[in-house]
Amino acid sequence: MAEYAVVVAGGGPTGLMLAGELALAGVDVAIVERRASQELAGSRAGGLHSRTIEVLDQRGIADRFLSEGQTVQVAAFAGVPLDISDFPTRHPYGLGLWQNHIERILAGWVDELAVPIYREREVTGFAQDDSGVDVELSDGTSLRAEYLVGCDGGRSLVRKEAGIEFPGWNPTTSALIAEAEMAEEPELGIRRDARGIHSFGRVEYEIRDGEVVYMDEGPVRIMVTEEHPGPAGEPTLRDLSEALVAVYGTDYGIHSPTWISRFTDMTRQAAAYRDRRVLLAGDAAHVHSPVGGQGLNTGVQDAVNLGWKLAQVVNRTSPESLLDTYHAERHPVAARVLRNTMAQVALFRQDDRIKTLGDTISELLSMDEPRTRFAAMMSGLDIHYELGEGHPLLGRRMPDLDLVTANGPLRVFTLLHDARPVLLNLGEPGGLDITPWADRVQLIDATYGGTWELPALGAVTAPTAVLIRPDGYIAWVGDGTDTGLRAALTTWFGSP
């Protein structure tokens, strides 16, 4: 039986990101993935929000994605565009890039980190004991791991086998999405009616001056809202044809589909993200309507929150109780995503009263303060972990400042490429002593003369030092003394 420190069930974006995070920390990790390759039938997610691009930048791989996608203002709430071009971030935009490309690039990174992937296999069961988990695979073999993480989607077998409840709301609407050929030319773009939202677009497109410009030929991507929530089974070409006729009066001679799938607004969240040695991340922990494009982004950020914590527990740097902070921090984040997607689905309904409410929301979001608040929420730039009272920076993302050090200029995110914590000393050089943690935490003396500004929050008082976790969030803020520093180092990075 092969043994690993961690087995990740599922090799989608969340599973790949988690495996990469663990590998950076020297953890022996393996992925179990049902697909033979990273090929992905279906559009799934269509891009990355600003905070996710920042997270990838923290690992030094953002350029791989930026070079293949198209930067554009993607943040929106209930169809109301939310411009973040004036936000204080190095990436004040989103990235248009289909999920199959996102997965391919992530898989390339994970391959460089030499993470083994058990392909064409699935986790079919497991049994955990005090020292680990026996993981059963669909080919009849087993793996032994200290921890198992379910990144196996909304129908997660890992979640079900762990007995973790998945409360929430059943679907009220569904839509078919597909990629196919059409004998007749459809009218490209979005259409709204009493049933909902429908759209046609070419697979190939460009973004020019912020506008989507489709190519003149090739397969068509289709979305059509169904009159009633569809059944759980796989949709057929006939289902798609009938749905198109009901909305457009014709199916445009649709044929040769590459793929057809259905999504709903089912909204559920795992009651717990951990059961002893089994954890959940991504869609296994939360499902919701795809409106706003938050699902993949939330999952990737789950992985970055969990990865370094699980690595420290596996490496015996931190006690197992550190894993409790994963649920404590990420469950509220996803709960907010569930709430805002439910609100957006409601606002998309087309009866006259809801349309009037939507007009009111649109008017509010045209004002600067509501716009910045909602844009920061939808882009993930306002996430705030409750780490106690103190400086406004505490528990928030570290800005990617341009620092000056004795060795020359340096970006903050460069310090996070290896997923190691950083104590950034902006006061008197040598003024902070963290000798007992010197093997775990990088101590960097630097200066920064600019303004400290956070999205939606605005300018904040410049600190004299900050303790930055591997996920890029600030765990301690200095005010000219080292008060509380040793406690923060012990809490997050183990006893001296």
Side-chain angles (χ1 to χ4, degrees):
M1 182 189 299
E3 296 189 8
Y4 298 93
V6 179
V7 167
V8 176
T14 302
L16 290 168
M17 193 74 206
L18 178 61
E21 292 290 291
L22 291 166
L24 282 176
V27 171
D28 190 16
V29 57
I31 297 172
V32 178
E33 168 54 40
R34 60 180 174 79
R35 291 172 290 171
S37 72
Q38 219 58 47
E39 290 296 317
L40 185 69
S43 62
R44 304 302 200 278
L48 302 173
H49 279 295
S50 176
R51 179 54 188 160
T52 306
I53 301 171
E54 285 191 340
V55 164
L56 297 169
D57 201 354
Q58 289 173 183
R59 297 299 178 258
I61 58 175
D63 286 347
R64 305 184 187 193
F65 299 85
L66 293 168
S67 66
E68 294 202 26
Q70 298 191 58
T71 58
V72 65
Q73 294 300 322
V74 301
F77 185 83
V80 180
L82 299 168
D83 192 336
I84 66 168
S85 60
D86 60 343
F87 275 25
T89 168
R90 205 173 292 270
H91 303 287
Y93 45 71
L95 185 71
L97 186 66
W98 292 115
Q99 183 171 330
N100 56 329
H101 299 302
I102 294 170
E103 287 199 21
R104 172 177 48 79
I105 298 167
L106 278 175
W109 177 58
V110 167
D111 185 59
E112 292 169 16
L113 295 170
V115 175
I117 302 180
Y118 288 77
R119 293 200 175 274
E120 297 184 88
R121 277 163 277 194
E122 296 181 66
V123 173
T124 56
F126 61 84
Q128 57 176 317
D129 53 44
D130 290 343
S131 61
V133 188
D134 290 317
V135 184
E136 302 166 12
L137 305 187
S138 54
D139 64 352
T141 62
S142 298
L143 302 174
R144 176 72 176 176
E146 290 183 50
Y147 291 90
L148 169 66
V149 185
C151 301
D152 51 343
R155 298 184 179 92
S156 172
L157 179 135
V158 172
R159 184 190 66 239
K160 295 172 183 175
E161 290 287 307
I164 296 174
E165 294 183 3
F166 202 41
W169 296 266
N170 290 328
T172 65
T173 184
S174 67
L176 296 173
I177 53 174
E179 180 182 306
E181 301 285 347
M182 286 184 160
E184 304 167 29
E185 184 69 18
E187 183 179 347
L188 302 183
I190 296 174
R191 174 173 173 174
R192 289 180 170 86
D193 60 21
R195 186 168 297 186
I197 300 175
H198 326 283
S199 68
F200 293 115
R202 296 286 181 195
V203 173
E204 299 298 328
Y205 67 92
E206 293 180 357
I207 297 174
R208 301 176 191 162
D209 298 324
E211 296 293 325
V212 175
V213 179
Y214 294 107
M215 300 297 100
D216 294 331
E217 57 186 18
V220 177
R221 275 216 165 99
I222 303 144
M223 185 185 82
V224 57
T225 302
E226 298 179 279
E227 184 175 7
H228 305 290
E234 290 297 317
T236 65
L237 181 59
R238 180 175 178 178
D239 293 333
L240 182 57
S241 173
E242 290 176 350
L244 287 170
V245 170
V247 173
Y248 292 94
T250 175
D251 68 359
Y252 297 98
I254 191 168
H255 65 93
S256 307
T258 305
W259 52 266
I260 307 172
S261 64
R262 175 181 281 116
F263 70 83
T264 76
D265 67 334
M266 183 171 71
T267 304
R268 296 186 179 277
Q269 185 175 24
Y273 281 15
R274 174 184 169 219
D275 174 53
R276 293 169 290 164
R277 292 183 171 270
V278 176
L279 299 107
L280 304 174
D283 288 355
H286 40 76
V287 296
H288 50 81
S289 165
V291 63
Q294 300 167 91
L296 181 152
N297 291 270
T298 305
V300 167
Q301 292 175 48
D302 285 345
V304 175
N305 184 285
L306 175 60
W308 66 275
K309 296 174 181 177
L310 185 54
Q312 288 185 180
V313 172
V314 166
N315 291 331
R316 308 297 187 264
T317 302
S318 296
E320 195 173 355
S321 58
L322 181 64
L323 296 177
D324 295 336
T325 68
Y326 169 58
H327 173 98
E329 292 179 355
R330 294 303 298 173
H331 193 278
V333 170
R336 186 174 65 159
V337 171
L338 265 60
R339 289 194 299 273
N340 81 50
T341 54
M342 290 175 71
Q344 292 181 79
V345 168
L347 287 166
F348 276 127
R349 304 197 197 286
Q350 292 296 304
D351 71 73
D352 290 341
R353 288 176 173 79
I354 297 296
K355 287 168 68 175
T356 302
L357 176 60
D359 291 343
T360 302
I361 296 295
S362 180
E363 183 179 348
L364 286 170
L365 293 180
S366 70
M367 302 174 187
D368 198 52
E369 184 176 348
R371 188 263 308 179
T372 56
R373 286 199 182 202
F374 275 70
M377 174 180 70
M378 297 304 295
S379 61
L381 291 169
D382 73 338
I383 291 171
H384 179 210
Y385 298 138
E386 295 294 340
L387 304 187
E389 297 296 322
H391 195 283
L393 286 168
L394 188 63
R396 297 185 187 273
R397 53 177 275 289
M398 176 66 191
D400 186 23
L401 308 178
D402 289 307
L403 306 172
V404 177
T405 72
N407 297 319
L410 187 68
R411 285 174 53 197
V412 167
F413 284 5
T414 304
L415 297 170
L416 296 171
H417 284 185
D418 295 329
R420 291 185 60 210
V422 177
L423 176 59
L424 183 60
N425 177 32
L426 300 163
E428 186 69 27
L432 297 172
D433 180 13
I434 59 166
T435 301
W437 290 271
D439 61 335
R440 296 170 238 172
V441 180
Q442 306 169 77
L443 174 57
I444 304 294
D445 291 323
T447 59
Y448 174 71
T451 301
W452 287 69
E453 187 178 2
L454 298 179
L457 201 63
V460 299
T461 303
T464 59
V466 286
L467 179 61
I468 310 168
R469 306 187 326 187
D471 58 358
Y473 288 85
I474 297 172
W476 173 83
V477 181
D479 59 0
T481 72
D482 64 358
T483 302
L485 176 58
R486 290 181 65 87
L489 288 164
T490 302
T491 295
W492 297 109
F493 310 118
S495 299

